[in-house]
């Protein structure tokens, strides 16, 4: 009885809207082209890397359009991340470094290569 009351009182989390068949197909295509691009890279197939990369970006653009994502916002975010990564590299390798006891001192060391 307590279980029934508990189930009646607690609300279920809102269900996510079902994705359309077309959206699922588009997502599969994006994944397929990304996978094919990676496989071409592993096999060192330069022409296939170019071809699959172009297909990946083209399909990704369609996915953005279907979700009302402005491509300029994505490219701006990517540019921001690249600029931050370049800044981190400059901070890690300042041109004014001095040697102490025969070793180059680093005032700040970046320990990751991942973009923020």
């Amino acid at each position: 009885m307590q279980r029934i009351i508990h189930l009646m009182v607690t609300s279920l989390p809102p269900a996510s809207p079902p994705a359309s068949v077309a959206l699922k197909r588009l997502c599969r295509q994006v994944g397929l082209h990304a996978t094919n691009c990676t496989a071409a890279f592993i096999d060192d197939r330069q022409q296939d890397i170019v071809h699959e990369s172009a297909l990946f970006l083209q399909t990704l653009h369609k996915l953005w359009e279907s979700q009302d994502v402005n491509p300029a916002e994505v490219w701006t975010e990517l540019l921001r991340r690249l600029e931050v990564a370049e800044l981190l590299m400059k901070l890690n390798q300042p041109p004014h470094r001095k040697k102490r006891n025969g070793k180059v001192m680093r005032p700040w060391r970046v320990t990751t290569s991942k973009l923020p």
Side-chain angles (χ1 to χ4, degrees):
M1 183 70 164
Q2 289 178 350
R3 181 179 164 97
I4 293 172
I5 293 172
H6 176 69
L7 289 174
M8 290 173 57
V9 173
T10 58
S11 60
L12 294 174
S16 59
S20 70
V21 173
L23 182 58
K24 286 181 181 179
R25 183 178 301 127
L26 195 55
C27 289
R28 278 192 215 104
Q29 288 176 345
V30 170
L32 177 68
H33 293 308
T35 303
N36 288 344
C37 185
T38 304
F41 172 77
I42 291 170
D43 290 341
D44 198 25
R45 297 186 322 255
Q46 190 75 21
Q47 195 60 31
D48 288 344
I49 294 171
V50 172
H51 180 75
E52 287 297 332
S53 295
L55 286 172
F56 171 74
L57 289 173
Q58 188 176 27
T59 311
L60 188 60
H61 184 60
K62 289 178 187 176
L63 180 65
W64 294 340
E65 285 178 345
S66 75
Q67 299 299 305
D68 295 326
V69 173
N70 184 355
E73 291 179 27
V74 176
W75 296 118
T76 301
E77 175 65 16
L78 183 60
L79 180 61
R80 184 191 68 77
R81 290 177 183 217
L82 289 171
E83 288 176 348
V84 168
E86 288 175 6
L87 178 62
L88 292 174
M89 289 297 292
K90 285 180 183 178
L91 287 172
N92 193 31
Q93 311 245 338
H96 58 280
R97 295 188 291 188
K98 294 181 180 177
K99 289 186 178 182
R100 289 189 184 170
N101 299 331
K103 293 184 179 181
V104 175
M105 300 301 292
R106 290 187 174 179
W108 186 65
R109 183 178 174 95
V110 178
T111 58
T112 181
S113 62
K114 293 185 171 45
L115 293 176

